[in-house]
Amino acid sequence: MRRTPSVASRVLSERTDHQVWLKCENLQRTGSFKPRGAYNRIANLSAEERCNGVVAASAGNHAQGVAWAATQLGIPSTVFMPANAALPKVVATKAYGATVHLGGETIEDALDKAREFAEQVGATLVHPFDHIDVVSGQATVALEILEQIPDVETIVVPTGGGGLIAGVAAAVHVLAPHVRVIGVQAADAAAWPGSLAAGKPVRAQAMSTMADGIAVGLPGVVTFAHVQSYVDTIVTVSEDALSQALLLCMERAKLIVEPAGAAAVAALMTCAAEELNLRGPVCAILSGGNIDPLLLTHVIHHGLRASDRYLAVRVTIPDRPGGLSRLLGVVSQSGASVVDVVHQRTAGTLALDEVEVLLTMETRGTEHRNAALAALADAGFAVTVQD
């Protein structure tokens, strides 16, 4: 297992008025915190259980964690993954030593297959979060944070099924009970707020987020008990916030983080101070960095738009020589950079002497974006901003 670093973040420290550190679990073996729990769970198996091997169901990080941990311990592993699992994660899981079976459309389908396999061959099912050995393994993240940042007073944790935050909160409760623990979920895939309000695990009504690593519809029984007892609060963040956080990690910390792994940073960037109630030095856990390159490209563009660094407009101009040149001249004078231009005469709302221009520009943020729009308006152009 790798002891991951905690690095200071000046930009987040300035934004929050608290010293902020990033716990880089994206640099852990297999690219996430998952091997900690998987290794502890598998290491505690009896000799007979080890002979029968282990099985897991996952679309990504847990699959790789189980495969790596089992191989390290000399135990055969089998992983069931949905048919649409990202190719890099399938390849990595196989490379870590697991036998991989693809099938079904969802994690639930894969889990059904894993349970059937366990019953047929006697393999031990390694749950991604809802087992005390898994929770105990994830608690080692908190042990390292307390050693690396002795004066830490707030820890912010990406939260899905609850294995990581349960382990962190339990360790902190025993060793540093003054430390505040905050969980973060994607707003469009948040099962914890409703569950805590109901006093029991309750399935979320919707699961729609780019942060698939924390998109868990139903909290575990084991993890719920820990979170209910030891976690101070759970907050939610938007998809825009997640993409902006991922972009900030890349640009300012030089760290590749998946959307779920950036959830804690998203909360520090966008949640109100009174909602977080930060105390003292803060540690935000970057829980994983396994992101498909195609998704990374999409999220980067999403983050640039959410940060007002892309501006797309629809402009109608006269259909005569020099019309487009004049428009682009105004853009140039504003300091914006043209990314894309689409010039069309066939829109149904156009008059015979008009042309519609779809223009995408790169700007330096909200202030510059507004200045570019003002320059176009001052030049007499009727502009419609495109979302």
Side-chain angles (χ1 to χ4, degrees), residues 200-243:
K200 61 181 181 180
V202 176
R203 185 171 296 278
Q205 296 299 309
M207 284 281 118
S208 177
T209 177
M210 69 177 75
D212 58 343
I214 54 174
V216 177
L218 183 68
V221 175
V222 172
T223 56
F224 183 85
H226 286 72
V227 172
Q228 186 180 45
S229 299
Y230 306 133
V231 172
D232 292 276
T233 190
I234 303 281
V235 301
T236 61
V237 293
S238 68
E239 298 298 288
D240 281 355
L242 288 167
S243 60

Side-chain angles (χ1 to χ4, degrees), residues 142 153-157 159 164-173 176-184 227 230-234 276 279 283 285:
E153 291 190 39
T154 306
I155 301 177
V156 190
V157 190
T159 304
L164 178 59
I165 194 171
V168 167
V172 163
H173 174 72
H178 64 283
V179 173
R180 181 171 169 79
V181 178
I182 301 171
V184 186
V227 172
Y230 306 133
V231 172
D232 292 276
T233 190
I234 303 281
L276 294 176
R279 294 202 302 255
C283 180
I285 298 176

